[in-house]
Amino acid sequence: MLLVACVAVIAPLAAAAATKEAGTVPMAADNPFARPSTLPFELPPFDKIRDEDYTPAFEAGMREQLKEVAAIAHNPQPATFENTIVALERSGRVLDRVGTVFFNLSSCNTDPKMQEIDTVMAPKLAAHNDAIFLDAALWARVDKLYTQRASLKLDPESLQLLTRYHVQFVRAGAQLSAADQKRLRAINEELSTLTTRFRQNVLKATADGAVVVGKVADLDGLTPVQIGAAARAAADRGLKDRWVIALQNTTNQPTLASLTNRELRERIYRASVGRGLSGATDNRAVIAQVVKLRAERARLLGYPDHAAYVLEDESAGNAAAVEGMIRQVASAALARARAEAADIQKLIDAQAAARGVPSFTLEPWDWSFYAEQVRKAHYAFDQAQVAPYFELEHVLQDGLFYAAHELYGLSFKERKDLPVYQPDVRVFEVSDADGKPLALFLADYFARDNKQGGAWMSGYVSQSKLLGQRPVVANHLNIPKPQAGQPVLLTFDEVTGMFHEFGHALHGMLSDVRYPYLSGTAVPRDFVEYPSQYNEMWAREPKVVEHYAHDYRSGAPMPPELLAKVLSAQKFNQGYATLEYLEAAKVDLAWHLIDASQAPAAAAVPGFEAAALKDAGLDYAPIQPRYHSGYFSHIFAGGYSAGYYAYLWSEVLARDTGQWFHAHGGLTRENGDTLRRMVLSRGRTEDPQVLFRNFYGREPDIGPLLEYRGLAGGG
Ligand SMILES: [Zn+2]
């Protein structure tokens, strides 16, 4: 089970697996995970699921799958594709159901009881996974089939499935000696415990790090809606006459763009970067131990380091390719960032001179605030002016759903009759162009304290013809919920985020494959962000914007000149955005290019990170990594270790695809259907690089990405 920051991919077998010690807790007959849901699309019966149901279902699910796997491994019949590989695909249904719901809700709607279960269950699931992938009899059958693959006369999708299983067994250690396998199991269990602790520490540190403000005057610069949200956040914490600025998961905090009080900005910034570095939520020792164990595991499996192990199975192939891409983009980004900083410093100096006070040097907590002023000066609009045009319901119905209708013929109908896990969550039934039911889409957009930060997509049911399942997918964002009766007005970044996550959702919903293992978003991490980043293009495509960007009060469309400003402003501050991302990608790689003996002591964790940035020439004081290690959940609690670079890698494909659409007439059914047929419906039934090449007609090119970000041509 991977809990990934941006897209939670549930691979059936790797995901849910059983435990080495058979559990003793029996599963009641009426446990909601005992049998497939009878709701449309097998939507989980959220109204019937109680925390007490998870542990018995996990344990029964693991027992059941171990029994199924033993029957496959010890089948007296010779191994066939059907009785081995397809049988594995069919195994572990109970575990799949409970694991999917549990881990999705652990991310978006957790509670202390679930966190306890997570802590207990994570090492058991890791051990269960090993019990399957290190089963010698099972491995012998898989290996034999793979050796005979040429004579099995398999169709391409089945051959791909066999190949993927073989790769997964090898990568899980199936070929190791018994002694090495024993050590591997111990490492996997310890890692699962550590990553669970990391995730829980970040959640708590982020909630605890919220900044309490005593005077409303200190919130000068925030909009009334934002101040209302801060008052609500204080009330939720039982604080009277106080305002609370909750933290979001990144280093930079959105309120820093508008708060005029410099001391408060610094407090918020320091609260953000201090997460995971001290006290009860200190993650330094967790990090040191995680990187050490990952390095040791890589060595056991025959790789020089964890990055080499991870990247071999990604499109990139190896660390040198990733570092090459980072270098290629870094010089353009750094040059642009320095120019942006110079503009900001000039503004700071001019304002100080005008007031007759000493100037100061630009600090990280100043960047967004002054960048916003530079933006206003350059583009002559501010957030308050555009916000009324980006009202959530319009963006959803007339933006996301509209584009999906024009491109793929999809229609959306809200289902208020179906149960949800939280009253803010909405369910939409999706119909295909021919009117047939295609999928369910869950929209969970608002921030909550019991929800992980950031935005991501997750799946509750994977599309698969083998199991007769149609997809149920969800999008999760952290849009601050306004006070009752207030409209939900978004920034253009939030609009783009909605389109991004919906791109993942479409990848899941348009999946049209036989095997669950190869379904939808179950592709390499450096490919999975391709459909989502491609879908972002529609947020700014004039034909789509004209359709959704209407003033929520009057219905008036956004004036064309304001729209032009918003769109051209998208290239603004891209030096900053690109550099903070590259810094985080570099930190991630550095942690995973070491040998176990090079893992630092806990106290040296921040120093290790700083040295990595310095060595790469990416230590630029005003711009800090998008995530510092202490709260870098993608790599220490999610599935993105040695993989944070994947966003930029996939973005190359996404921007090339944007260029392809424009060259072929833009938003049309014909174009949408081509991409759907060649990429979006294919999951991992073919090598993703081949899917892209067949669609695009050639290898990816970095040019359109630099152009899209305004980094091209030395500008
Ligand atoms: Zn994504």
Side-chain angles (χ1 to χ4, degrees):
M1 175 73 50
L2 290 179
L3 178 68
V4 185
C6 197
V7 52
V9 177
I10 315 291
L13 196 55
T19 172
K20 60 177 181 181
E21 63 224 304
T24 48
V25 188
M27 177 166 65
D30 65 346
N31 187 297
F33 301 110
R35 52 194 57 78
S37 164
T38 54
L39 292 170
F41 298 83
E42 297 185 30
L43 177 75
F46 291 115
D47 53 340
K48 300 204 165 64
I49 297 169
R50 299 158 306 151
D51 283 352
E52 299 72 55
D53 296 320
Y54 291 121
T55 299
F58 267 121
E59 298 203 336
M62 288 190 273
R63 281 195 303 269
E64 176 200 75
Q65 193 175 27
L66 281 190
K67 222 185 279 171
E68 291 165 337
V69 166
I72 297 167
H74 302 289
N75 186 340
Q77 301 296 319
T80 65
F81 180 76
E82 274 298 319
N83 75 16
T84 303
I85 302 296
V86 174
L88 282 172
E89 281 289 90
R90 292 185 190 277
S91 73
R93 303 321 306 153
V94 170
L95 195 51
D96 184 57
R97 285 195 291 273
V98 61
T100 303
V101 169
F102 179 79
F103 287 105
N104 284 343
L105 295 187
S106 285
S107 305
C108 68
N109 206 45
T110 191
D111 62 44
K113 177 77 185 148
M114 289 182 80
Q115 296 197 353
E116 248 171 63
I117 297 171
D118 195 0
T119 304
V120 173
M121 217 43 80
K124 289 189 179 186
L125 289 168
H128 174 73
N129 219 36
D130 283 344
I132 294 173
F133 285 99
L134 299 179
D135 181 310
L138 185 60
W139 161 242
R141 290 175 80 91
V142 173
D143 194 37
K144 185 154 187 232
L145 285 169
Y146 184 71
T147 311
Q148 301 169 338
R149 65 192 178 281
S151 60
L152 296 179
K153 301 202 167 56
L154 298 175
D155 63 89
E157 184 176 342
S158 299
L159 180 59
Q160 172 75 357
L161 183 70
L162 172 58
T163 305
R164 291 306 308 159
Y165 264 99
H166 191 261
V167 166
Q168 198 182 348
F169 270 89
V170 170
R171 291 175 59 77
Q175 291 173 310
L176 297 187
S177 71
D180 283 351
Q181 287 191 351
K182 188 167 174 236
R183 177 66 191 138
L184 187 66
R185 288 173 198 253
I187 292 174
N188 287 341
E189 278 194 63
E190 192 180 346
L191 277 173
S192 71
T193 301
L194 288 165
T195 50
T196 303
R197 190 179 313 153
F198 187 95
R199 178 164 71 245
Q200 294 181 354
N201 280 347
V202 172
L203 190 66
K204 183 161 181 358
T206 300
D208 291 354
V211 173
V212 181
V213 178
K215 290 193 310 235
V216 72
D218 288 342
L219 298 179
D220 181 48
L222 298 188
T223 64
V225 171
Q226 285 173 313
I227 293 173
R232 233 177 72 102
D236 286 350
R237 286 172 165 77
L239 298 172
K240 271 202 173 134
D241 298 327
R242 292 283 184 281
W243 292 263
V244 164
I245 308 284
L247 296 181
Q248 300 211 5
N249 64 336
T250 49
T251 294
N252 194 35
Q253 297 294 317
T255 47
L256 298 183
S258 36
L259 286 167
T260 61
N261 183 320
R262 190 167 188 237
E263 283 74 37
L264 179 57
R265 289 205 306 267
E266 183 174 349
R267 262 178 73 203
I268 293 170
Y269 175 80
R270 291 197 186 281
S272 173
V273 298
R275 284 175 288 171
L277 293 182
S278 63
T281 55
D282 193 342
N283 267 331
R284 290 175 304 173
V286 179
I287 293 166
Q289 185 65 4
V290 164
V291 296
K292 185 166 168 233
L293 289 171
R294 284 177 178 165
E296 187 191 339
R297 181 174 61 185
R299 191 50 73 97
L300 264 181
L301 291 165
Y303 298 86
D305 47 59
H306 182 69
Y309 167 71
V310 168
L311 292 167
E312 186 193 62
D313 204 36
E314 299 290 318
S315 309
N318 56 60
V322 174
E323 294 200 297
M325 183 209 56
I326 291 178
R327 256 197 315 276
Q328 232 183 324
V329 184
S331 55
L334 196 56
R336 168 61 79 175
R338 286 184 195 282
E340 290 165 2
D343 281 348
I344 290 174
Q345 190 65 54
K346 224 184 287 171
L347 182 67
I348 291 174
D349 294 344
Q351 289 184 1
R355 284 191 206 124
V357 296
S359 188
F360 54 84
T361 304
L362 164 68
E363 296 285 355
W365 50 89
D366 298 317
W367 187 291
S368 297
F369 181 72
Y370 290 98
E372 181 59 19
Q373 295 184 38
V374 173
R375 185 202 312 270
K376 280 179 204 168
H378 279 208
Y379 302 100
F381 74 89
D382 61 33
Q383 174 52 27
Q385 209 180 335
V386 301
Y389 297 99
F390 298 142
E391 187 271 325
L392 186 130
E393 199 60 20
H394 281 91
V395 174
L396 179 68
Q397 304 272 0
D398 303 333
L400 271 63
F401 292 172
Y402 166 73
H405 182 265
E406 296 302 294
L407 290 162
Y408 317 112
L410 307 186
S411 309
F412 299 80
K413 192 169 154 267
E414 187 156 12
R415 294 282 306 256
K416 296 197 173 179
D417 56 319
L418 296 175
V420 288
Y421 51 86
Q422 214 281 339
D424 289 337
V425 179
R426 298 167 68 185
V427 184
F428 296 88
E429 181 169 334
V430 186
S431 306
D432 209 341
D434 58 9
K436 288 196 180 124
L438 181 75
L440 285 184
F441 171 67
L442 277 61
D444 175 8
Y445 285 141
F446 294 120
R448 292 186 290 276
D449 261 358
N450 67 348
K451 190 183 200 178
Q452 222 177 40
W456 69 99
M457 168 266 196
S458 61
Y460 283 96
V461 180
S462 291
Q463 180 275 332
S464 135
K465 289 178 194 160
L466 180 74
L467 303 177
Q469 291 181 332
R470 289 175 302 188
V472 177
V473 305
N475 276 179
H476 306 277
L477 276 81
N478 268 284
I479 295 167
K481 190 179 175 183
Q483 285 181 307
Q486 299 274 1
V488 186
L489 304 183
L490 308 174
T491 64
F492 190 67
D493 282 349
E494 287 168 335
V495 172
T496 305
M498 280 177 69
F499 275 87
H500 176 105
E501 298 309 332
F502 196 61
H504 287 305
L506 287 167
H507 196 192
M509 295 190 292
L510 296 176
S511 176
D512 187 18
V513 307
R514 187 177 328 153
Y515 302 114
Y517 192 89
L518 306 174
S519 178
T521 54
V523 295
R525 289 171 312 188
D526 61 6
F527 192 79
V528 80
E529 296 300 329
Y530 160 39
S532 53
Q533 299 192 85
Y534 139 75
N535 201 56
E536 291 173 9
M537 76 177 278
W538 304 116
R540 59 176 77 182
E541 189 72 6
K543 201 174 155 192
V544 181
V545 184
E546 282 159 18
H547 205 258
Y548 75 79
H550 291 263
D551 188 312
Y552 75 96
R553 295 159 300 197
S554 64
M558 195 166 191
E561 58 282 3
L562 184 57
L563 176 58
K565 284 177 190 168
V566 170
L567 294 182
S568 71
Q570 285 303 301
K571 289 184 180 174
F572 177 75
N573 212 38
Q574 281 298 310
Y576 177 97
T578 309
L579 195 62
E580 67 158 9
Y581 168 83
L582 291 173
E583 289 173 359
K586 179 67 210 179
V587 166
D588 167 31
L589 259 197
W591 280 124
H592 298 113
L593 281 169
I594 57 172
D595 176 285
S597 67
Q598 295 167 302
V605 161
F608 179 95
E609 185 192 291
L613 291 172
K614 192 159 192 292
D615 289 349
L618 287 168
D619 57 331
Y620 184 55
I623 302 178
Q624 293 297 306
R626 190 168 164 77
Y627 300 93
H628 280 293
S629 300
Y631 48 93
F632 202 166
S633 299
H634 290 74
I635 68 167
F636 294 118
Y640 273 69
S641 61
Y644 193 65
Y645 77 95
Y647 292 91
L648 200 61
W649 192 274
S650 318
E651 194 183 341
V652 174
L653 310 185
R655 300 311 161 223
D656 271 357
T657 300
Q659 181 151 297
W660 180 92
F661 268 87
H662 287 141
H664 290 80
L667 186 82
T668 68
R669 262 301 286 288
E670 195 190 343
N671 286 344
D673 283 344
T674 301
L675 187 68
R676 176 179 182 169
R677 190 177 67 249
M678 302 188 80
V679 178
L680 297 177
S681 63
R682 300 290 309 275
R684 199 173 186 169
T685 56
E686 168 68 278
D687 176 350
Q689 281 172 293
V690 173
L691 290 181
F692 179 80
R693 211 182 306 132
N694 290 346
F695 162 71
Y696 193 54
R698 63 169 172 77
E699 296 295 325
D701 166 31
I702 206 164
L705 173 131
L706 295 178
E707 178 61 36
Y708 191 89
R709 291 184 168 233
L711 302 173

